[in-house]
mmCIF file of all heavy atoms in Angstrom:
data_model
loop_
_atom_site.group_PDB
_atom_site.id
_atom_site.type_symbol
_atom_site.label_atom_id
_atom_site.label_comp_id
_atom_site.label_asym_id
_atom_site.label_seq_id
_atom_site.Cartn_x
_atom_site.Cartn_y
_atom_site.Cartn_z
ATOM 1 N N CYS A 1 0.888 -1.193 -0.009
ATOM 2 C CA CYS A 1 -0.017 0.019 -0.091
ATOM 3 C C CYS A 1 0.911 1.288 -0.035
ATOM 4 O O CYS A 1 1.633 1.421 0.905
ATOM 5 C CB CYS A 1 -0.943 0.107 1.275
ATOM 6 S SG CYS A 1 -1.964 -1.430 1.326
ATOM 7 N N LEU A 2 0.838 2.060 -1.036
ATOM 8 C CA LEU A 2 1.826 3.085 -1.243
ATOM 9 C C LEU A 2 0.976 4.505 -1.326
ATOM 10 O O LEU A 2 0.091 4.592 -2.053
ATOM 11 C CB LEU A 2 2.601 2.844 -2.525
ATOM 12 C CG LEU A 2 3.399 1.530 -2.532
ATOM 13 C CD1 LEU A 2 4.001 1.472 -3.982
ATOM 14 C CD2 LEU A 2 4.432 1.651 -1.522
ATOM 15 N N THR A 3 1.602 5.381 -0.594
ATOM 16 C CA THR A 3 0.853 6.786 -0.452
ATOM 17 C C THR A 3 1.942 7.829 -0.593
ATOM 18 O O THR A 3 3.079 7.697 0.072
ATOM 19 C CB THR A 3 0.104 6.919 0.803
ATOM 20 O OG1 THR A 3 -1.013 5.893 0.709
ATOM 21 C CG2 THR A 3 -0.455 8.290 0.881
ATOM 22 N N TRP A 4 1.746 8.998 -1.247
ATOM 23 C CA TRP A 4 2.655 10.084 -1.261
ATOM 24 C C TRP A 4 2.199 11.091 -0.141
ATOM 25 O O TRP A 4 1.155 11.453 -0.040
ATOM 26 C CB TRP A 4 2.599 10.781 -2.665
ATOM 27 C CG TRP A 4 3.216 9.908 -3.706
ATOM 28 C CD1 TRP A 4 2.569 9.243 -4.707
ATOM 29 C CD2 TRP A 4 4.567 9.968 -3.919
ATOM 30 N NE1 TRP A 4 3.475 8.607 -5.494
ATOM 31 C CE2 TRP A 4 4.691 9.020 -5.162
ATOM 32 C CE3 TRP A 4 5.693 10.477 -3.415
ATOM 33 C CZ2 TRP A 4 6.009 8.790 -5.681
ATOM 34 C CZ3 TRP A 4 6.931 10.208 -3.983
ATOM 35 C CH2 TRP A 4 7.137 9.288 -5.025
ATOM 36 N N PHE A 5 3.285 11.483 0.513
ATOM 37 C CA PHE A 5 3.099 12.601 1.488
ATOM 38 C C PHE A 5 4.106 13.772 1.140
ATOM 39 O O PHE A 5 5.031 13.610 0.318
ATOM 40 C CB PHE A 5 3.507 12.103 2.900
ATOM 41 C CG PHE A 5 2.511 11.112 3.488
ATOM 42 C CD1 PHE A 5 2.563 9.817 3.130
ATOM 43 C CD2 PHE A 5 1.522 11.554 4.355
ATOM 44 C CE1 PHE A 5 1.573 8.875 3.648
ATOM 45 C CE2 PHE A 5 0.635 10.645 4.954
ATOM 46 C CZ PHE A 5 0.654 9.342 4.619
ATOM 47 N N ARG A 6 3.817 14.894 1.705
ATOM 48 C CA ARG A 6 4.789 15.994 1.659
ATOM 49 C C ARG A 6 4.926 16.826 3.000
ATOM 50 O O ARG A 6 3.990 16.721 3.711
ATOM 51 C CB ARG A 6 4.539 16.937 0.387
ATOM 52 C CG ARG A 6 3.306 17.682 0.680
ATOM 53 C CD ARG A 6 2.994 18.625 -0.645
ATOM 54 N NE ARG A 6 1.840 19.444 -0.548
ATOM 55 C CZ ARG A 6 1.326 20.187 -1.460
ATOM 56 N NH1 ARG A 6 1.920 20.165 -2.687
ATOM 57 N NH2 ARG A 6 0.309 20.898 -1.272
ATOM 58 N N GLN A 7 6.067 17.453 3.148
ATOM 59 C CA GLN A 7 6.289 18.125 4.309
ATOM 60 C C GLN A 7 7.233 19.400 4.117
ATOM 61 O O GLN A 7 8.255 19.159 3.451
ATOM 62 C CB GLN A 7 6.806 17.290 5.498
ATOM 63 C CG GLN A 7 6.875 17.987 6.822
ATOM 64 C CD GLN A 7 7.243 16.920 7.881
ATOM 65 O OE1 GLN A 7 7.838 15.822 7.604
ATOM 66 N NE2 GLN A 7 7.003 17.205 9.100
ATOM 67 N N THR A 8 6.808 20.517 4.688
ATOM 68 C CA THR A 8 7.627 21.752 4.610
ATOM 69 C C THR A 8 8.297 21.876 5.926
ATOM 70 O O THR A 8 7.986 21.267 6.980
ATOM 71 C CB THR A 8 6.821 22.957 4.364
ATOM 72 O OG1 THR A 8 5.797 23.108 5.350
ATOM 73 C CG2 THR A 8 6.199 22.858 2.904
ATOM 74 N N PRO A 9 9.517 22.619 6.063
ATOM 75 C CA PRO A 9 10.141 22.708 7.275
ATOM 76 C C PRO A 9 9.294 23.256 8.405
ATOM 77 O O PRO A 9 8.662 24.359 8.100
ATOM 78 C CB PRO A 9 11.390 23.647 6.938
ATOM 79 C CG PRO A 9 11.608 23.420 5.508
ATOM 80 C CD PRO A 9 10.179 23.236 4.916
ATOM 81 N N GLY A 10 9.206 22.742 9.521
ATOM 82 C CA GLY A 10 8.354 23.077 10.582
ATOM 83 C C GLY A 10 6.832 22.899 10.351
ATOM 84 O O GLY A 10 6.072 23.326 11.219
ATOM 85 N N GLY A 11 6.526 22.332 9.240
ATOM 86 C CA GLY A 11 5.081 22.030 8.845
ATOM 87 C C GLY A 11 4.525 20.689 9.137
ATOM 88 O O GLY A 11 5.359 19.840 9.533
ATOM 89 N N GLU A 12 3.307 20.453 8.994
ATOM 90 C CA GLU A 12 2.731 19.236 9.159
ATOM 91 C C GLU A 12 2.969 18.317 8.007
ATOM 92 O O GLU A 12 2.952 18.901 6.787
ATOM 93 C CB GLU A 12 1.213 19.301 9.450
ATOM 94 C CG GLU A 12 0.891 20.024 10.694
ATOM 95 C CD GLU A 12 1.239 19.277 11.990
ATOM 96 O OE1 GLU A 12 1.271 18.055 11.935
ATOM 97 O OE2 GLU A 12 1.487 19.912 13.014
ATOM 98 N N ARG A 13 3.120 17.018 8.166
ATOM 99 C CA ARG A 13 3.175 16.131 7.068
ATOM 100 C C ARG A 13 1.758 15.864 6.567
ATOM 101 O O ARG A 13 0.985 15.441 7.324
ATOM 102 C CB ARG A 13 3.876 14.843 7.485
ATOM 103 C CG ARG A 13 4.191 13.852 6.451
ATOM 104 C CD ARG A 13 5.068 12.655 6.786
ATOM 105 N NE ARG A 13 6.327 13.150 7.157
ATOM 106 C CZ ARG A 13 7.317 12.491 7.568
ATOM 107 N NH1 ARG A 13 7.165 11.084 7.789
ATOM 108 N NH2 ARG A 13 8.467 12.931 8.032
ATOM 109 N N GLU A 14 1.596 15.978 5.348
ATOM 110 C CA GLU A 14 0.238 15.812 4.765
ATOM 111 C C GLU A 14 0.302 14.802 3.674
ATOM 112 O O GLU A 14 1.125 14.829 2.699
ATOM 113 C CB GLU A 14 -0.351 17.191 4.354
ATOM 114 C CG GLU A 14 0.507 17.938 3.254
ATOM 115 C CD GLU A 14 -0.045 19.241 2.960
ATOM 116 O OE1 GLU A 14 -1.174 19.662 3.415
ATOM 117 O OE2 GLU A 14 0.625 19.968 2.083
ATOM 118 N N GLY A 15 -0.749 14.072 3.725
ATOM 119 C CA GLY A 15 -0.991 13.061 2.499
ATOM 120 C C GLY A 15 -1.440 13.771 1.259
ATOM 121 O O GLY A 15 -2.216 14.779 1.302
ATOM 122 N N ILE A 16 -0.854 13.302 0.196
ATOM 123 C CA ILE A 16 -1.017 13.966 -1.115
ATOM 124 C C ILE A 16 -1.932 13.240 -2.020
ATOM 125 O O ILE A 16 -2.865 13.743 -2.671
ATOM 126 C CB ILE A 16 0.278 14.307 -1.837
ATOM 127 C CG1 ILE A 16 1.199 15.191 -0.941
ATOM 128 C CG2 ILE A 16 0.005 14.971 -3.115
ATOM 129 C CD1 ILE A 16 0.524 16.508 -0.686
ATOM 130 N N ALA A 17 -1.543 11.914 -2.163
ATOM 131 C CA ALA A 17 -2.200 11.085 -3.114
ATOM 132 C C ALA A 17 -2.115 9.644 -2.710
ATOM 133 O O ALA A 17 -1.005 9.199 -2.226
ATOM 134 C CB ALA A 17 -1.795 11.320 -4.454
ATOM 135 N N SER A 18 -3.060 8.773 -3.076
ATOM 136 C CA SER A 18 -2.959 7.405 -2.673
ATOM 137 C C SER A 18 -3.904 6.578 -3.698
ATOM 138 O O SER A 18 -4.916 7.172 -4.222
ATOM 139 C CB SER A 18 -3.360 7.032 -1.291
ATOM 140 O OG SER A 18 -4.650 7.508 -1.036
ATOM 141 N N THR A 19 -3.770 5.333 -3.874
ATOM 142 C CA THR A 19 -4.655 4.426 -4.522
ATOM 143 C C THR A 19 -5.150 3.495 -3.569
ATOM 144 O O THR A 19 -4.468 2.923 -2.605
ATOM 145 C CB THR A 19 -3.906 3.779 -5.674
ATOM 146 O OG1 THR A 19 -2.780 3.054 -5.243
ATOM 147 C CG2 THR A 19 -3.375 4.902 -6.712
ATOM 148 N N ALA A 20 -6.317 2.948 -3.723
ATOM 149 C CA ALA A 20 -6.865 1.811 -2.964
ATOM 150 C C ALA A 20 -6.993 0.623 -3.846
ATOM 151 O O ALA A 20 -7.017 0.712 -4.982
ATOM 152 C CB ALA A 20 -8.293 2.279 -2.376
ATOM 153 N N SER A 21 -7.149 -0.536 -3.155
ATOM 154 C CA SER A 21 -7.154 -1.790 -3.946
ATOM 155 C C SER A 21 -8.525 -1.898 -4.742
ATOM 156 O O SER A 21 -8.452 -2.741 -5.758
ATOM 157 C CB SER A 21 -7.088 -2.954 -3.010
ATOM 158 O OG SER A 21 -5.935 -2.972 -2.382
ATOM 159 N N ASP A 22 -9.481 -1.122 -4.460
ATOM 160 C CA ASP A 22 -10.724 -1.173 -5.239
ATOM 161 C C ASP A 22 -10.680 -0.276 -6.504
ATOM 162 O O ASP A 22 -11.596 -0.178 -7.228
ATOM 163 C CB ASP A 22 -11.923 -0.789 -4.434
ATOM 164 C CG ASP A 22 -11.819 0.550 -3.826
ATOM 165 O OD1 ASP A 22 -10.823 1.389 -4.115
ATOM 166 O OD2 ASP A 22 -12.777 0.942 -2.969
ATOM 167 N N GLY A 23 -9.479 0.326 -6.558
ATOM 168 C CA GLY A 23 -9.304 1.198 -7.821
ATOM 169 C C GLY A 23 -9.608 2.666 -7.621
ATOM 170 O O GLY A 23 -9.201 3.473 -8.432
ATOM 171 N N ASN A 24 -10.058 3.041 -6.458
ATOM 172 C CA ASN A 24 -10.238 4.488 -6.163
ATOM 173 C C ASN A 24 -8.946 5.132 -5.937
ATOM 174 O O ASN A 24 -8.005 4.532 -5.557
ATOM 175 C CB ASN A 24 -11.117 4.648 -4.944
ATOM 176 C CG ASN A 24 -12.600 4.298 -5.196
ATOM 177 O OD1 ASN A 24 -13.145 4.371 -6.488
ATOM 178 N ND2 ASN A 24 -13.313 3.976 -4.191
ATOM 179 N N THR A 25 -8.877 6.423 -6.236
ATOM 180 C CA THR A 25 -7.799 7.323 -6.048
ATOM 181 C C THR A 25 -8.266 8.403 -5.032
ATOM 182 O O THR A 25 -9.450 8.899 -5.224
ATOM 183 C CB THR A 25 -7.075 7.830 -7.149
ATOM 184 O OG1 THR A 25 -8.058 8.511 -8.001
ATOM 185 C CG2 THR A 25 -6.578 6.636 -8.154
ATOM 186 N N TYR A 26 -7.257 8.938 -4.286
ATOM 187 C CA TYR A 26 -7.687 9.902 -3.365
ATOM 188 C C TYR A 26 -6.494 10.980 -3.424
ATOM 189 O O TYR A 26 -5.365 10.729 -3.517
ATOM 190 C CB TYR A 26 -7.729 9.467 -1.928
ATOM 191 C CG TYR A 26 -8.676 8.396 -1.811
ATOM 192 C CD1 TYR A 26 -8.419 6.960 -1.860
ATOM 193 C CD2 TYR A 26 -9.991 8.649 -1.603
ATOM 194 C CE1 TYR A 26 -9.377 5.936 -1.758
ATOM 195 C CE2 TYR A 26 -11.071 7.667 -1.467
ATOM 196 C CZ TYR A 26 -10.626 6.314 -1.560
ATOM 197 O OH TYR A 26 -11.545 5.285 -1.430
ATOM 198 N N TYR A 27 -7.030 12.297 -3.330
ATOM 199 C CA TYR A 27 -6.040 13.430 -3.492
ATOM 200 C C TYR A 27 -6.309 14.431 -2.429
ATOM 201 O O TYR A 27 -7.601 14.660 -2.036
ATOM 202 C CB TYR A 27 -6.164 14.186 -4.823
ATOM 203 C CG TYR A 27 -5.774 13.164 -5.973
ATOM 204 C CD1 TYR A 27 -6.752 12.468 -6.689
ATOM 205 C CD2 TYR A 27 -4.539 13.118 -6.384
ATOM 206 C CE1 TYR A 27 -6.350 11.687 -7.750
ATOM 207 C CE2 TYR A 27 -4.021 12.288 -7.442
ATOM 208 C CZ TYR A 27 -5.009 11.528 -8.027
ATOM 209 O OH TYR A 27 -4.728 10.776 -9.095
ATOM 210 N N LEU A 28 -5.302 15.056 -1.999
ATOM 211 C CA LEU A 28 -5.364 16.377 -1.270
ATOM 212 C C LEU A 28 -6.087 17.390 -2.000
ATOM 213 O O LEU A 28 -5.800 17.531 -3.263
ATOM 214 C CB LEU A 28 -3.958 16.782 -0.708
ATOM 215 C CG LEU A 28 -3.789 18.096 0.070
ATOM 216 C CD1 LEU A 28 -4.458 17.879 1.470
ATOM 217 C CD2 LEU A 28 -2.480 18.523 0.192
ATOM 218 N N GLY A 29 -7.061 18.164 -1.509
ATOM 219 C CA GLY A 29 -7.825 19.033 -2.304
ATOM 220 C C GLY A 29 -6.972 19.928 -3.070
ATOM 221 O O GLY A 29 -7.354 20.304 -4.202
ATOM 222 N N SER A 30 -5.861 20.472 -2.525
ATOM 223 C CA SER A 30 -5.128 21.584 -3.164
ATOM 224 C C SER A 30 -4.318 20.971 -4.340
ATOM 225 O O SER A 30 -3.841 21.791 -5.147
ATOM 226 C CB SER A 30 -4.197 22.212 -2.121
ATOM 227 O OG SER A 30 -3.243 21.263 -1.638
ATOM 228 N N VAL A 31 -4.246 19.707 -4.538
ATOM 229 C CA VAL A 31 -3.576 19.199 -5.705
ATOM 230 C C VAL A 31 -4.444 18.472 -6.649
ATOM 231 O O VAL A 31 -4.018 18.080 -7.730
ATOM 232 C CB VAL A 31 -2.406 18.192 -5.281
ATOM 233 C CG1 VAL A 31 -1.523 18.875 -4.269
ATOM 234 C CG2 VAL A 31 -2.960 16.846 -4.746
ATOM 235 N N ARG A 32 -5.713 18.305 -6.232
ATOM 236 C CA ARG A 32 -6.609 17.576 -7.157
ATOM 237 C C ARG A 32 -6.711 18.341 -8.445
ATOM 238 O O ARG A 32 -6.861 19.437 -8.512
ATOM 239 C CB ARG A 32 -7.964 17.425 -6.427
ATOM 240 C CG ARG A 32 -8.992 16.602 -7.222
ATOM 241 C CD ARG A 32 -10.197 16.377 -6.480
ATOM 242 N NE ARG A 32 -9.996 15.440 -5.328
ATOM 243 C CZ ARG A 32 -10.070 15.667 -4.094
ATOM 244 N NH1 ARG A 32 -10.374 17.048 -3.781
ATOM 245 N NH2 ARG A 32 -9.853 14.923 -3.105
ATOM 246 N N ASP A 33 -6.759 17.602 -9.584
ATOM 247 C CA ASP A 33 -6.838 18.154 -10.966
ATOM 248 C C ASP A 33 -5.541 18.641 -11.449
ATOM 249 O O ASP A 33 -5.388 18.965 -12.527
ATOM 250 C CB ASP A 33 -7.845 19.235 -11.018
ATOM 251 C CG ASP A 33 -9.304 18.774 -10.635
ATOM 252 O OD1 ASP A 33 -9.622 17.647 -11.049
ATOM 253 O OD2 ASP A 33 -10.045 19.570 -10.208
ATOM 254 N N ARG A 34 -4.468 18.551 -10.552
ATOM 255 C CA ARG A 34 -3.143 18.876 -11.080
ATOM 256 C C ARG A 34 -2.107 17.698 -10.872
ATOM 257 O O ARG A 34 -1.313 17.597 -11.910
ATOM 258 C CB ARG A 34 -2.572 20.212 -10.330
ATOM 259 C CG ARG A 34 -3.379 21.425 -10.409
ATOM 260 C CD ARG A 34 -2.652 22.572 -9.805
ATOM 261 N NE ARG A 34 -2.431 22.429 -8.361
ATOM 262 C CZ ARG A 34 -1.276 22.336 -7.733
ATOM 263 N NH1 ARG A 34 -0.119 22.334 -8.491
ATOM 264 N NH2 ARG A 34 -1.222 22.214 -6.476
ATOM 265 N N PHE A 35 -2.411 16.926 -9.971
ATOM 266 C CA PHE A 35 -1.498 15.743 -9.777
ATOM 267 C C PHE A 35 -2.353 14.508 -10.085
ATOM 268 O O PHE A 35 -3.566 14.389 -9.941
ATOM 269 C CB PHE A 35 -1.137 15.620 -8.291
ATOM 270 C CG PHE A 35 -0.181 16.767 -7.749
ATOM 271 C CD1 PHE A 35 0.029 17.780 -8.496
ATOM 272 C CD2 PHE A 35 0.373 16.601 -6.538
ATOM 273 C CE1 PHE A 35 0.927 18.783 -8.020
ATOM 274 C CE2 PHE A 35 1.264 17.540 -6.081
ATOM 275 C CZ PHE A 35 1.527 18.704 -6.831
ATOM 276 N N SER A 36 -1.615 13.428 -10.495
ATOM 277 C CA SER A 36 -2.244 12.205 -10.822
ATOM 278 C C SER A 36 -1.326 11.034 -10.285
ATOM 279 O O SER A 36 -0.165 11.057 -10.537
ATOM 280 C CB SER A 36 -2.428 12.077 -12.383
ATOM 281 O OG SER A 36 -2.984 10.850 -12.675
ATOM 282 N N ILE A 37 -1.925 10.064 -9.590
ATOM 283 C CA ILE A 37 -1.182 8.942 -9.079
ATOM 284 C C ILE A 37 -1.552 7.673 -9.855
ATOM 285 O O ILE A 37 -2.718 7.508 -10.259
ATOM 286 C CB ILE A 37 -1.561 8.836 -7.500
ATOM 287 C CG1 ILE A 37 -0.634 7.756 -6.943
ATOM 288 C CG2 ILE A 37 -3.001 8.464 -7.305
ATOM 289 C CD1 ILE A 37 -0.740 7.641 -5.319
ATOM 290 N N SER A 38 -0.583 6.875 -9.999
ATOM 291 C CA SER A 38 -0.778 5.538 -10.566
ATOM 292 C C SER A 38 0.095 4.539 -9.838
ATOM 293 O O SER A 38 1.303 4.801 -9.491
ATOM 294 C CB SER A 38 -0.565 5.574 -11.989
ATOM 295 O OG SER A 38 0.751 5.892 -12.316
ATOM 296 N N GLN A 39 -0.404 3.351 -9.584
ATOM 297 C CA GLN A 39 0.443 2.317 -8.995
ATOM 298 C C GLN A 39 0.261 1.012 -9.710
ATOM 299 O O GLN A 39 -0.749 0.733 -10.229
ATOM 300 C CB GLN A 39 -0.101 2.146 -7.504
ATOM 301 C CG GLN A 39 0.760 0.987 -6.827
ATOM 302 C CD GLN A 39 0.338 0.794 -5.353
ATOM 303 O OE1 GLN A 39 -0.287 1.758 -4.740
ATOM 304 N NE2 GLN A 39 0.923 -0.105 -4.708
ATOM 305 N N ASN A 40 1.384 0.299 -9.833
ATOM 306 C CA ASN A 40 1.448 -0.928 -10.441
ATOM 307 C C ASN A 40 2.324 -1.850 -9.536
ATOM 308 O O ASN A 40 3.597 -1.711 -9.569
ATOM 309 C CB ASN A 40 2.088 -0.908 -11.838
ATOM 310 C CG ASN A 40 2.154 -2.203 -12.446
ATOM 311 O OD1 ASN A 40 1.478 -3.158 -12.027
ATOM 312 N ND2 ASN A 40 2.999 -2.268 -13.559
ATOM 313 N N GLU A 41 1.672 -2.646 -8.761
ATOM 314 C CA GLU A 41 2.425 -3.608 -7.799
ATOM 315 C C GLU A 41 3.272 -2.813 -6.864
ATOM 316 O O GLU A 41 2.734 -2.062 -5.999
ATOM 317 C CB GLU A 41 3.273 -4.651 -8.600
ATOM 318 C CG GLU A 41 2.417 -5.505 -9.580
ATOM 319 C CD GLU A 41 1.385 -6.378 -8.814
ATOM 320 O OE1 GLU A 41 1.628 -6.772 -7.643
ATOM 321 O OE2 GLU A 41 0.372 -6.839 -9.429
ATOM 322 N N ASN A 42 4.593 -2.852 -6.967
ATOM 323 C CA ASN A 42 5.466 -2.320 -6.017
ATOM 324 C C ASN A 42 5.963 -0.907 -6.445
ATOM 325 O O ASN A 42 6.838 -0.324 -5.805
ATOM 326 C CB ASN A 42 6.635 -3.191 -5.773
ATOM 327 C CG ASN A 42 7.597 -3.372 -6.962
ATOM 328 O OD1 ASN A 42 7.008 -3.421 -8.150
ATOM 329 N ND2 ASN A 42 8.748 -3.367 -6.816
ATOM 330 N N MET A 43 5.353 -0.389 -7.467
ATOM 331 C CA MET A 43 5.790 0.994 -8.001
ATOM 332 C C MET A 43 4.642 1.927 -8.049
ATOM 333 O O MET A 43 3.528 1.557 -8.236
ATOM 334 C CB MET A 43 6.333 0.809 -9.300
ATOM 335 C CG MET A 43 7.577 -0.084 -9.540
ATOM 336 S SD MET A 43 8.218 -0.156 -11.203
ATOM 337 C CE MET A 43 9.457 -1.299 -11.001
ATOM 338 N N VAL A 44 4.854 3.173 -7.554
ATOM 339 C CA VAL A 44 3.869 4.192 -7.586
ATOM 340 C C VAL A 44 4.475 5.384 -8.230
ATOM 341 O O VAL A 44 5.714 5.809 -8.037
ATOM 342 C CB VAL A 44 3.277 4.438 -6.162
ATOM 343 C CG1 VAL A 44 4.319 4.966 -5.299
ATOM 344 C CG2 VAL A 44 2.058 5.308 -6.237
#
């Protein structure tokens, strides 16, 4: 299960994008429509 996070100095670590086994994808609101995640087995 692979998910992207990001963090700025002194900031909170926030989830950016992930995929679920049912095929759904999830995005942080501020990156939706600009970022795209894809996963194939052990690579994302």
Side-chain angles (χ1 to χ4, degrees):
C1 301
L2 302 171
T3 296
W4 288 100
F5 291 81
R6 70 184 182 187
Q7 187 171 23
T8 57
E12 298 289 334
R13 186 170 298 179
E14 57 184 358
I16 300 299
S18 65
T19 62
S21 296
D22 62 4
N24 286 334
T25 57
Y26 302 95
Y27 296 94
L28 180 68
S30 60
V31 309
R32 186 172 291 113
D33 299 326
R34 297 188 298 118
F35 292 9
S36 180
I37 187 171
S38 60
Q39 181 173 345
N40 182 18
E41 300 293 335
N42 67 319
M43 300 181 183
V44 66

